[in-house]
């Protein structure tokens, strides 16, 4: 098992990465303060892993709430089922919420923990590659609104993250690829050596080589933990973690939540950011080709969504959380491993990128 640390003073916490961690009773139990536990999961994950997790909670008053599965259920209405359960079972402020699932469950359980009785502890037990390398780390919690992704939420850090890499064995290939998009993101933002490694090892990741996956998860978590430690609430450098997200969130909202997976949408979004950067002379065409090739090898989309017009993109991008004083700020690239935040990009060239990706 590998242990990393998210350094946030009195809210610091460990990230554990390893095989079969769901069954390690003491690992889990050392981070639960009271005797009350509510596991938040969904109808796909519950039959696979709920019993194994509950078996590690011997001696606790444990209950579970099983939510419907899907990005389209990441709403305030569905979140209310968690509050219904907490109140009906008379859980106190000593309850710990355990998020067992992917990024949707992690974001929802974390937000529920931030709100219930003004804040109770929670633990992230991520079961998708995407959630193990990104969403379980850093304390961003949220639900979607019909008008915008992740628009209702809070920064709220977990007690720990327990990433059991064995759970990835049951993940569908398309979901694995979606997670690889977030892994590639770290190389593009600030870790060019990792990008080189990914080019060499992409086949090992897509074929689920355990050592390659473990290395990619550790390096991604370390890259993310370093950024979060510098800027927990995204006043500056953390915004770089949103590479591809302004375009990508527009795709997810525009195409209907759940139709494009998050990783698929941000892969296309990262390519759009690279395309715009190249049009402005900030990066070379050959670097854009390297990015496109890597996404293709990972099984990720490299063309725009069918039926979304440039105007629809612009309208949806205007709801992004990085908008300031009505100006859309974008994360762009000054080369592989050199992401920058910018509001002085060439607006005509943005239009060219949107036109180019119109399918
Ligand atoms: P997800 O949570 O929808 O999980 C993907 C699918 O895999 C679901 O159908 C799920 O039931 C299933 N699944 C989960 N674990 C499984 C397993 N071990 N075996 C088989 N099936 C399994 O999607 P995701 O990609 O994990 O997360 C995407 C979400 O994360 C989005 O809502 C996105 O906005 C959010 N996100 C949040 C952050 C953050 O910092 N908080 C960062 C990135 C993404
Ligand atoms: N996934 C972006 C962030 O955590 O900031």
């Amino acid at each position: 098992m590998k242990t990393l640390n998210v350094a946030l003073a009195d809210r610091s916490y460990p990230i554990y990465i390893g095989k079969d961690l769901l069954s390690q009773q003491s690992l889990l139990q050392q981070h639960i303060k009271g005797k009350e536990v509510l596991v938040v999961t969904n109808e796909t994950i519950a039959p696979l892993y709920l019993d194994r997790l509950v078996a590690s909670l011997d001696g606790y008053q444990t209950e579970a709430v099983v939510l419907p599965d899907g990005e389209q259920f990441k709403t305030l209405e569905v979140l209310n089922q968690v509050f219904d359960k907490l109140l009906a079972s008379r859980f106190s402020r000593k309850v710990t919420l355990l998020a067992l699932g992917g990024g949707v469950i992690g974001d929802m359980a974390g937000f529920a923990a931030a709100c219930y009785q003004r804040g109770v502890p929670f633990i992230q037990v991520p079961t998708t590659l995407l959630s193990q390398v990104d969403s379980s780390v850093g304390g961003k919690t949220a639900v979607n609104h019909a008008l915008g992704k992740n628009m209702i939420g809070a920064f709220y850090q977990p007690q720990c993250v327990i990433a059991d890499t064995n759970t990835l064995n049951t993940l569908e290939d398309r979901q694995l690829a979606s997670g690889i998009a977030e892994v590639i993101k770290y190389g593009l933002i600030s870790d060019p050596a990792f990008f080189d490694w990914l080019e060499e090892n992409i086949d090992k990741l897509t074929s689920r080589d355990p050592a390659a996956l473990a290395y990619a998860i550790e390096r991604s978590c370390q890259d993310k933990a370093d950024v979060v430690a510098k800027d927990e609430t995204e006043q500056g450098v953390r915004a770089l973690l949103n590479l591809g997200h302004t375009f990508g969130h527009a795709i997810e909202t525009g195409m209907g939540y759940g139709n494009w997976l998050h990783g698929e949408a941000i892969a296309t979004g990262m390519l759009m950011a690279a395309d715009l950067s190249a049009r402005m002379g900030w990066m070379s065409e050959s670097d854009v080709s390297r990015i496109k090739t890597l996404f293709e090898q990972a099984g990720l989309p490299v063309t725009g969504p069918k039926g979304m017009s440039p105007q629809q993109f612009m309208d949806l991008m205007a709801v992004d959380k990085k908008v300031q004083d009505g100006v859309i700020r974008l994360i762009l690239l000054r080369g592989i491993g050199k992401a920058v935040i910018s509001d002085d990009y060439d607006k005509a060239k943005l239009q060219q990128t949107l036109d180019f990706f119109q399918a």
Side-chain angles (χ1 to χ4, degrees):
M1 181 179 78
K2 184 96 175 172
T3 306
L4 306 175
N5 182 45
V6 184
L8 288 169
D10 60 341
R11 281 166 300 102
S12 299
Y13 54 92
I15 305 169
Y16 304 108
I17 302 161
K19 293 180 185 164
D20 203 24
L21 301 190
L22 287 186
S23 307
Q24 292 201 15
Q25 274 199 20
S26 57
L27 187 70
L28 195 58
Q29 294 189 7
Q30 65 179 290
H31 293 284
I32 301 175
K33 296 197 173 84
K35 281 283 159 203
E36 302 166 34
V37 175
L38 180 70
V39 182
V40 182
T41 189
N42 76 23
E43 58 204 8
T44 303
I45 302 150
L48 294 169
Y49 300 112
L50 184 57
D51 285 352
R52 207 175 304 172
L53 188 67
V54 171
S56 296
L57 293 165
D58 196 27
Y60 290 80
Q61 179 204 335
T62 304
E63 295 200 36
V65 59
V66 180
L67 302 178
D69 181 9
E71 184 73 36
Q72 67 275 32
F73 299 111
K74 190 181 171 185
T75 62
L76 270 178
E77 291 72 25
V78 175
L79 191 72
N80 211 29
Q81 293 182 25
V82 180
F83 300 128
D84 288 347
K85 182 75 179 177
L86 283 161
L87 285 162
S89 300
R90 298 184 193 276
F91 277 118
S92 75
R93 293 178 107 169
K94 298 267 183 208
V95 67
T96 295
L97 266 55
L98 289 192
L100 175 68
V104 169
I105 287 295
D107 281 13
M108 291 179 81
F111 189 40
C115 298
Y116 186 61
Q117 300 203 19
R118 303 197 181 91
V120 297
F122 87 110
I123 291 175
Q124 289 275 17
V125 187
T127 61
T128 61
L129 180 61
L130 186 143
S131 56
Q132 294 188 354
V133 299
D134 190 353
S135 62
S136 64
V137 175
K140 278 191 181 175
T141 73
V143 292
N144 299 329
H145 187 279
L147 298 180
K149 264 282 286 180
N150 294 335
M151 277 292 158
I152 319 292
F155 285 100
Y156 195 67
Q157 302 294 341
Q159 301 299 305
C160 69
V161 178
I162 299 177
D164 182 338
T165 53
N166 281 1
T167 60
L168 301 181
N169 294 333
T170 52
L171 203 58
E172 287 177 1
D173 286 346
R174 190 178 165 204
Q175 297 292 349
L176 188 81
S178 178
I180 293 174
E182 297 279 16
V183 173
I184 295 171
K185 183 185 78 175
Y186 295 109
L188 286 174
I189 293 171
S190 62
D191 197 346
F194 187 33
F195 190 88
D196 294 345
W197 182 89
L198 287 164
E199 286 182 317
E200 304 247 312
N201 291 280
I202 190 68
D203 291 348
K204 289 188 185 158
L205 291 184
T206 53
S207 61
R208 301 175 196 235
D209 175 271
L213 272 176
Y215 177 75
I217 295 167
E218 285 162 28
R219 186 130 176 184
S220 300
C221 284
Q222 189 62 62
D223 282 349
K224 179 153 188 184
D226 290 346
V227 174
V228 170
K230 284 188 203 130
D231 178 21
E232 182 183 9
T233 57
E234 201 170 306
Q235 307 304 309
V237 69
R238 185 166 180 173
L240 300 180
L241 294 176
N242 290 314
L243 175 64
H245 283 57
T246 305
F247 298 108
H249 281 170
I251 294 173
E252 286 185 86
T253 309
M255 297 307 286
Y257 295 129
N259 289 320
W260 275 56
L261 301 183
H262 179 69
E264 294 172 341
I266 66 132
T268 296
M270 287 190 273
L271 202 55
M272 293 174 82
D275 177 270
L276 173 55
S277 304
R279 284 176 197 276
M280 293 191 299
W282 290 10
M283 80 185 299
S284 66
E285 290 293 345
S286 63
D287 276 352
V288 179
S289 294
R290 282 174 71 191
I291 299 168
K292 187 173 177 212
T293 302
L294 190 55
F295 286 159
E296 280 171 337
Q297 289 170 333
L300 290 160
V302 291
T303 51
K306 281 204 173 60
M308 245 180 96
S309 67
Q311 187 56 49
Q312 198 183 352
F313 256 106
M314 287 303 291
D315 291 345
L316 288 164
M317 283 165 48
V319 192
D320 188 74
K321 289 192 280 308
K322 289 185 296 305
V323 169
Q324 265 182 10
D325 304 323
V327 178
I328 299 171
R329 295 185 306 151
L330 292 173
I331 313 303
L332 297 172
L333 292 165
R334 290 211 173 252
I336 288 174
K338 288 190 202 123
V340 291
I341 183 158
S342 172
D343 59 8
D344 69 349
Y345 51 86
D346 184 329
K347 308 294 179 293
K349 299 247 186 303
L350 171 60
Q351 187 63 45
Q352 288 172 14
T353 293
L354 295 178
D355 290 343
F356 183 72
F357 277 83
Q358 187 170 15

